[in-house]
Amino acid sequence: MSQATTSEPDGVARLLPEISYRRLGLYFLILAFVAFFVSPIYTGLVTSLKAGGAATTPFLPPTLDNFTLANWGQAFDQLSRGFVNSFAMAIPATLLDVILGSTAAYGLTLVDWRRQMPVVLLFVFGIFLPYQAILVPLSDFWTNMLPLTEGLIIEGITILPASDRWGSLAELTITHVAYGIPICFLLFRSYYKTISKELVEAAKVDGASITKIYTRIVLPLSKPMIGVVLIYQFTQIWNEFLFSLTLIGSSSDQAATITLILSGIGADLSGVNFPLRMAAAFLAALPTIVIYVLFAEQFAEGIAT
């Protein structure tokens, strides 16, 4: 009986040294980071589910008296025009950036021709142009030199009818394409440098043209990086505010993007309606979350590569 009692503390004592305090500290640090990043999402979500007067207690969940879904419905009604405009601008701009960035990177990485580096440096230089440095010439270009709001007709063929809404969105789309090509080019170029040159040379020996090598070999191998660029570029374009403010100007404009409308939601002379603004912020972020979910596997693979 005494041996059984003395062996039990000995067994506990043998287990205690096996506890890794370093691992416990690591778990505590991870939990602290999770709490740090999740707490704003939690407070925003519970705030969006409260009536206006209950927003003064953001950490407390809504009660039966102040719980409401009206903020979400009202936010969606105000953002619906912005959703249409942002999708009409972000989807073509993202796809064009992927196509043009990929083809440019292929031509400047896997195709040998003289004086490539000055062109590569030109693309790299485009990455370092700050938004603020081009706002005035950008506005002047679209206002005086090529106003797409007045329509675009080439050799008698109407490419774009005169429309303030769709003309402004076309200007914004082209701006994002031009500004996004350099970073997309650099991402694709870094990925194409990992492709075996022997594979490309073997295709040349078999008589494949430059176009066939790209469409049948390089492009199928580019799926991971295409996922990375799609997520990155769509997120950048969807969340961009400065170009929209410069070219469109007002949240009341018919061409206003979702970020422009979001900036004015819930603000009036009586103060800021934080529950409405939080609901609108979650709705505005939903498309980027969906893009991350759809291309998560390609994104992870492309980043790892």
Side-chain angles (χ1 to χ4, degrees), residues 123-252:
F123 275 99
V124 174
F125 177 73
I127 299 175
F128 297 99
L129 281 176
Y131 280 25
Q132 295 83 354
I134 64 171
L135 291 181
V136 174
L138 178 69
S139 177
D140 183 65
F141 175 80
W142 289 122
T143 302
N144 300 319
M145 299 183 65
L146 188 61
L148 293 183
T149 53
E150 299 177 4
L152 180 63
I153 300 176
I154 300 177
E155 295 183 356
I157 302 174
T158 302
I159 306 298
L160 184 69
S163 169
D164 289 339
R165 180 181 185 182
W166 301 113
S168 298
L169 289 175
E171 294 172 358
L172 196 56
T173 301
I174 296 172
T175 301
H176 280 300
V177 170
Y179 214 89
I181 287 176
I183 185 62
C184 294
F185 161 81
L186 198 63
L187 290 171
F188 276 112
R189 177 175 166 81
S190 64
Y191 183 78
Y192 289 161
K193 282 182 172 293
T194 65
I195 295 179
S196 171
K197 289 189 176 181
E198 288 78 9
L199 185 63
V200 177
E201 292 299 328
K204 289 181 181 178
V205 171
D206 289 340
S209 64
I210 293 177
T211 306
K212 285 186 177 179
I213 293 173
Y214 175 71
T215 55
R216 296 186 181 182
I217 297 177
V218 176
L219 199 57
L221 293 174
S222 304
K223 287 181 180 179
M225 187 50 63
I226 289 175
V228 172
V229 176
L230 276 175
I231 290 176
Y232 174 81
Q233 199 59 17
F234 181 85
T235 304
Q236 292 294 314
I237 295 174
W238 184 270
N239 293 329
E240 192 279 326
F241 178 76
L242 200 54
F243 285 156
S244 300
L245 182 64
T246 302
L247 298 180
I248 297 173
S250 170
S251 59
S252 60

Side-chain angles (χ1 to χ4, degrees), residues 10-30:
D10 291 342
V12 175
R14 282 196 302 270
L15 288 175
L16 285 175
E18 296 180 3
I19 297 176
S20 173
Y21 294 101
R22 183 178 179 183
R23 179 171 295 181
L24 286 177
L26 181 61
Y27 288 157
F28 177 78
L29 188 62
I30 292 173

Side-chain angles (χ1 to χ4, degrees), residues 28-170:
F28 177 78
L29 188 62
I30 292 173
L31 287 175
F33 272 108
V34 169
F36 178 77
F37 287 106
V38 170
S39 57
I41 300 175
Y42 167 77
T43 55
L45 184 60
V46 297
T47 300
S48 69
L49 297 174
K50 296 178 182 178
T56 54
T57 55
F59 285 99
L60 298 179
T63 62
L64 292 176
D65 295 331
N66 57 36
F67 175 82
T68 179
L69 293 175
N71 297 319
W72 289 77
Q74 189 178 350
F76 182 78
D77 290 339
Q78 295 188 33
L79 289 175
S80 56
R81 172 169 48 92
F83 271 113
V84 174
N85 293 336
S86 288
F87 276 122
M89 174 265 301
I91 292 177
T94 302
L95 294 177
L96 284 172
D97 275 330
V98 170
I99 294 170
L100 295 176
S102 174
T103 51
Y106 168 68
L108 290 167
T109 307
L110 298 176
V111 179
D112 293 326
W113 49 283
R114 297 176 61 187
R115 297 184 178 88
Q116 285 183 332
M117 286 312 298
V119 183
V120 173
L121 292 175
L122 191 63
F123 275 99
V124 174
F125 177 73
I127 299 175
F128 297 99
L129 281 176
Y131 280 25
Q132 295 83 354
I134 64 171
L135 291 181
V136 174
L138 178 69
S139 177
D140 183 65
F141 175 80
W142 289 122
T143 302
N144 300 319
M145 299 183 65
L146 188 61
L148 293 183
T149 53
E150 299 177 4
L152 180 63
I153 300 176
I154 300 177
E155 295 183 356
I157 302 174
T158 302
I159 306 298
L160 184 69
S163 169
D164 289 339
R165 180 181 185 182
W166 301 113
S168 298
L169 289 175

